[in-house]
Amino acid sequence: MSSQYQQRYSQDASSLSGPVRQRSKQACLPCRRRKRKCDGNLPCSICQGYGYECEFGNGPQPTNLKRPVPSGGSPQPRKATRLADPQEPPKQLTESSIFPGILEPSKARYVGRYSSIAFPLYVGLEVQATTIPRLHSFAYHTGIRKEPPCAVTCEAAQKISWNTMRSLLEVYTATVHPVFGFLDLDQVFMLCERHWHGQPQDMAFEAMISGVVATASLFSGTLDQDTEMWFILHQKEILEDCVISRFPSLEQIAAWIMRTIYMRCTSRPHVTWLSSCTAMHLVEAAGLHHASEFVMQTTGNATPSTEMFNIINRTAQVATCLHTLISFEYGRSIITLNSHSLDNLQPAGGEKDLTFQLCSLVAAVPTIRTGNPLSLMEELFSSLDKITDVAIDHDFLLLLRADLALGIYRRLRVMDSKFQQGHNDRVIAAGTAALPAARRLASQNQPWWNVIGTAFQFACALLVMDTPTSCETLVETMDTLEMIVDHLDTHLAKEALSTARQLVRASLDKKKRGVEALERIARDASPDPAVGGTNDHLQQDIAAMSPSLVAQLPLDLDSLWAMEFQLPL
């Protein structure tokens, strides 16, 4: 995939660091206005470097004037985001247009145009050097030590057979891919078949496919735990090797996404969050988060095909969704990339596209910022309404929706927010809908990370709500938790159930202490003459009334006096 990604971006390459500039018969309009030497190309190197819109006047056109023609359309002029020009009136600029970047497709590398790596190239254009410096980390360090060589030697094809690999691909296609749909499965299957039949692929592909094997084994139990762990460690060794990781690629990003999913299902919160952060940083490093009009390409002007663009877009979106979910749950900062292209986290697809539903849920997650507490609470309540209104067609997504609703509830609870009954009802409804989904996933041996976590967190929230509705729902929640723990029979599951029972007992003890205090007060209190006998006086007053007036009373006062009233919380 990475080779195709690079080839599709680097077709018809016209490098900025080409041969000596030739004098042109006619300069473009921006170069003529600024009195710069133009090479006569469209776009010329000056306009391409500074981000100007390159165009020529009505005079003789240069012989090498060629505009790229998109398929099925008419020639369009190349547009680029401009750098600030003091000779032109100021415009309303976005952050991306103020700080555009440079994409080097041959290495799948994106850097800011203001970075130290890009500045020598910028200076070369500024001083009109005959040979423009390449995009390179000049003088990044002293160079007194050599970089370590690649330490990865073994291949996944040597560990399991092709039949086993094919069955694991089928498991991954049926379980993980419907929700996190960012791989081109046909392409992956073809490359795997070649890899297992004597045509080795690059190490980035090796890392990605190791993640697929480990995750599919987790959901199917096909491999023993030692073999499964070997693939996870093999993937880690590849991803952390400095020779392999120096050039980011789609396969590397996919491998980190797979690693994050596996770590979320099996490891600790901090380690999982770091893995998701790495995936996000690689999305930025490869430039997947930027639209093409906001970058300058150092090699080639061709745009990716529609199929490749969809894979690139989905990869960036799934990485963003996964990182947002983990950060929001864990209470860590969320990495926000500087681009509008990820604002709408909804990939193309039909209504039944589960990745579409995943992105719809994450798009409703509130972006918590420091500010007015009232505005923060309003944002949280609004997000709660949006999340609970998203239509869901998968059990795992039902659990995710409940997790997000509970995450918002925890934040509002910490802020000491006054809940309305409707907001509590929304949280309870989301949690109640997740309980049968959790039972089904547990019975199907699909160990998604929130199979037990959602029920446990829901039980905690119900105890804090302490309403008649929450107490009734707590019964089903604890029954679900016990069923899942019996099925899993693991230390972590038993620990969660024990903690939930401990909290239930503590809540019960608190209520008993309150009832005992009220009973003691009622038992020890002496009758107050001003209050005592009120019922007798009331009966005497009624007896003194005329029969016709008594007949008009609509209530049975004896029954009314004996009623117990419950004030709303």
Side-chain angles (χ1 to χ4, degrees):
M1 291 173 64
S2 62
S3 59
Q4 288 193 353
Y5 169 56
Q6 295 166 6
Q7 290 171 5
R8 292 174 190 263
Y9 268 100
S10 58
Q11 292 172 353
D12 302 326
S14 57
S15 176
L16 285 176
S17 56
V20 178
R21 182 184 292 107
Q22 300 294 326
R23 183 174 298 273
S24 169
K25 293 182 180 180
Q26 181 186 7
C28 66
L29 294 180
C31 289
R32 289 166 61 184
R33 286 195 297 266
R34 295 169 178 84
K35 297 181 180 180
R36 297 182 181 276
K37 293 181 180 180
C38 182
D39 58 15
N41 293 324
L42 182 65
C44 70
S45 60
I46 298 299
C47 292
Q48 196 172 11
Y50 284 96
Y52 301 137
E53 184 173 350
C54 189
E55 56 182 347
F56 288 80
N58 296 325
Q61 300 296 309
T63 57
N64 58 348
L65 185 65
K66 294 182 180 180
R67 297 174 183 268
V69 181
S71 58
S74 59
Q76 299 292 331
R78 176 177 172 83
K79 294 183 179 180
T81 303
R82 299 189 181 191
L83 298 177
D85 191 335
Q87 298 179 3
E88 298 179 358
K91 297 181 179 180
Q92 188 69 27
L93 299 176
T94 63
E95 185 175 3
S96 296
S97 60
I98 295 174
F99 300 119
I102 299 177
L103 177 65
E104 190 177 23
S106 62
K107 297 181 180 179
R109 177 172 60 178
Y110 168 86
V111 296
R113 200 179 300 188
Y114 48 82
S115 67
S116 62
I117 294 177
F119 196 63
L121 185 151
Y122 179 90
V123 174
L125 292 171
E126 182 72 22
V127 301
Q128 301 180 12
T130 56
T131 301
I132 300 174
R134 61 193 176 99
L135 196 66
H136 181 67
S137 54
F138 294 104
Y140 188 70
H141 53 75
T142 61
I144 62 175
R145 292 290 184 272
K146 292 182 179 180
E147 291 184 282
C150 179
V152 184
T153 57
C154 193
E155 294 182 357
Q158 302 172 358
K159 198 69 177 179
I160 59 175
S161 66
W162 166 239
N163 289 334
T164 302
M165 181 66 225
R166 187 165 48 189
S167 65
L168 289 170
L169 281 173
E170 293 173 355
V171 171
Y172 178 86
T173 302
T175 56
V176 181
H177 181 75
V179 180
F180 297 99
F182 63 98
L183 294 179
D184 184 348
L185 290 180
D186 293 335
Q187 179 75 5
V188 170
F189 186 90
M190 180 187 68
L191 294 178
C192 283
E193 189 173 20
R194 293 177 181 176
H195 191 44
W196 260 261
H197 289 84
Q199 299 182 24
Q201 305 299 313
D202 58 25
M203 282 298 178
F205 177 83
E206 182 90 0
M208 182 193 69
I209 204 62
S210 295
V212 172
V213 169
T215 307
S217 175
L218 177 68
F219 277 78
S220 63
T222 302
L223 305 178
D224 58 84
Q225 294 190 22
D226 291 339
T227 305
E228 182 180 309
M229 185 57 61
W230 181 91
F231 278 95
I232 284 296
L233 295 178
H234 182 55
Q235 180 194 52
K236 178 177 182 292
E237 185 181 20
I238 296 173
L239 293 176
E240 294 181 353
D241 190 281
C242 61
V243 177
I244 299 171
S245 62
R246 63 183 299 183
F247 299 126
S249 64
L250 280 178
E251 282 85 353
Q252 280 192 41
I253 300 171
W256 276 105
I257 292 175
M258 298 304 308
R259 180 169 179 80
T260 303
I261 294 174
Y262 187 90
M263 299 297 285
R264 181 60 186 88
C265 292
T266 61
S267 190
R268 300 177 183 271
H270 177 69
V271 178
T272 305
W273 179 74
L274 287 178
S275 180
S276 72
C277 291
T278 303
M280 288 298 293
H281 289 309
L282 283 172
V283 168
E284 181 181 17
L288 305 190
H289 64 303
H290 274 296
S292 59
E293 63 266 23
F294 291 115
V295 299
M296 180 185 76
Q297 296 185 8
T298 63
T299 52
N301 301 326
T303 56
S305 64
T306 302
E307 295 78 7
M308 181 56 64
F309 179 79
N310 289 336
I311 295 298
I312 292 172
N313 189 34
R314 278 178 171 256
T315 302
Q317 290 178 352
V318 169
T320 302
C321 290
L322 192 58
H323 170 71
T324 303
L325 290 171
I326 293 170
S327 301
F328 186 74
E329 177 190 40
Y330 194 31
R332 290 282 177 88
S333 58
I334 299 175
I335 297 176
T336 304
L337 299 179
N338 298 326
S339 174
H340 69 281
S341 61
L342 293 183
D343 291 342
N344 185 11
L345 298 176
Q346 296 185 358
E351 295 181 357
K352 296 300 182 180
D353 184 356
L354 299 180
T355 307
F356 178 95
Q357 296 179 14
L358 169 70
C359 294
S360 299
L361 279 175
V362 177
V365 172
T367 55
I368 305 299
R369 298 286 187 269
T370 57
N372 186 354
L374 292 178
S375 62
L376 290 179
M377 285 190 291
E378 290 178 359
E379 182 181 3
L380 288 169
F381 282 126
S382 176
S383 298
L384 178 61
D385 294 338
K386 293 177 182 178
I387 288 171
T388 52
D389 287 340
V390 175
I392 299 300
D393 294 314
H394 193 274
D395 286 340
F396 171 66
L397 295 179
L398 286 172
L399 298 182
L400 276 186
R401 184 174 64 181
D403 290 339
L404 294 175
L406 292 170
I408 293 176
Y409 177 82
R410 291 192 296 267
R411 284 162 171 80
L412 289 169
R413 193 78 193 189
V414 170
M415 296 174 68
D416 197 21
S417 175
K418 302 301 181 183
F419 281 85
Q420 297 181 2
Q421 185 61 38
H423 295 127
N424 272 341
D425 290 343
R426 280 185 173 270
V427 176
I428 292 176
T432 303
L435 295 178
R439 294 194 294 267
R440 285 192 296 267
L441 290 175
S443 62
Q444 295 168 6
N445 296 318
Q446 294 193 20
W448 290 105
W449 59 77
N450 46 13
V451 164
I452 187 171
T454 301
F456 174 78
Q457 292 293 333
F458 189 36
C460 294
L462 293 173
L463 287 172
V464 174
M465 290 180 188
D466 196 20
T467 64
T469 304
S470 67
C471 290
E472 292 176 2
T473 310
L474 185 60
V475 177
E476 181 185 0
T477 305
M478 292 300 297
D479 289 342
T480 299
L481 191 60
E482 292 175 357
M483 173 266 178
I484 296 173
V485 171
D486 290 341
H487 186 82
L488 295 176
D489 194 25
T490 63
H491 168 71
L492 289 178
K494 294 176 181 178
E495 183 183 49
L497 178 60
S498 176
T499 303
R501 287 172 174 170
Q502 180 181 356
L503 294 174
V504 170
R505 286 193 296 267
S507 178
L508 179 61
D509 293 340
K510 176 184 176 182
K511 291 180 181 295
K512 286 182 177 180
R513 290 193 298 269
V515 171
E516 290 173 356
L518 292 176
E519 289 178 345
R520 185 168 60 253
I521 293 172
R523 182 174 59 252
D524 296 342
S526 58
D528 189 345
V531 179
T534 303
N535 192 27
D536 296 337
H537 292 304
L538 182 61
Q539 295 293 342
Q540 294 174 5
D541 293 339
I542 294 176
M545 294 181 183
S546 63
S548 61
L549 182 61
V550 172
Q552 296 177 7
L553 291 176
L555 299 176
D556 184 355
L557 293 182
D558 290 334
S559 301
L560 180 64
W561 189 260
M563 289 180 62
E564 295 182 0
F565 293 94
Q566 181 178 9
L567 295 177
L569 297 177

